Amino acid sequence: MKFYKNLYVGESIKKPNKVKWKLRHGAGQFKVYVIALAGGDDQLEIYHSAFLKQPYYRNHPPYIIGIAGGYGEAVDMVVEMTEAALKETGSPDIKKYLFPEK
């Protein structure tokens, strides 16, 4: 599992390193959602952390951009990323905003 170098962390996440460790080791976290890069032309996807325990994600780990303490907080973070991308680049393309060199 890979994490974005400037990981977005929701306000309700008090110990992000502990949450990251638990995500890597498959420990259950009822209230944690992750924001991950989507494949193809889509921008981002929001998953409950329990989805990452499925066998598929062991072989295809997502690239995690942010962690949030609830679905609503994750959606708010995506909105903030979109607004920042629009302000900085003039486009709502979050992938180009996060990875300008690509």
Side-chain angles (χ1 to χ4, degrees):
M1 187 171 308
K2 294 182 181 179
F3 291 90
Y4 182 58
K5 64 180 177 181
N6 299 319
L7 184 69
Y8 286 84
V9 178
E11 292 178 10
S12 64
I13 302 292
K14 301 300 180 202
K15 297 180 180 179
N17 288 332
K18 186 175 183 178
V19 171
K20 285 169 52 176
W21 185 90
K22 286 184 174 187
L23 288 170
R24 284 188 181 114
H25 292 89
Q29 300 179 89
F30 292 114
K31 296 183 180 182
V32 174
Y33 283 78
V34 298
I35 302 165
L37 282 181
D41 293 334
D42 292 337
Q43 294 290 312
L44 300 173
E45 296 176 335
I46 298 173
Y47 301 114
H48 187 275
S49 60
F51 286 163
L52 301 178
K53 296 174 105 179
Q54 296 178 22
Y56 173 82
Y57 293 108
R58 277 188 233 126
N59 298 326
H60 304 92
Y63 189 81
I64 297 176
I65 301 298
I67 51 178
Y71 184 78
E73 186 174 49
V75 170
D76 291 343
M77 290 171 63
V78 171
V79 169
E80 289 174 16
M81 288 181 218
T82 306
E83 289 172 347
L86 192 56
K87 183 178 177 183
E88 288 288 321
T89 65
S91 169
D93 190 339
I94 298 171
K95 285 183 178 179
K96 286 185 182 175
Y97 170 68
L98 296 174
F99 306 101
E101 65 277 352
K102 290 185 179 179

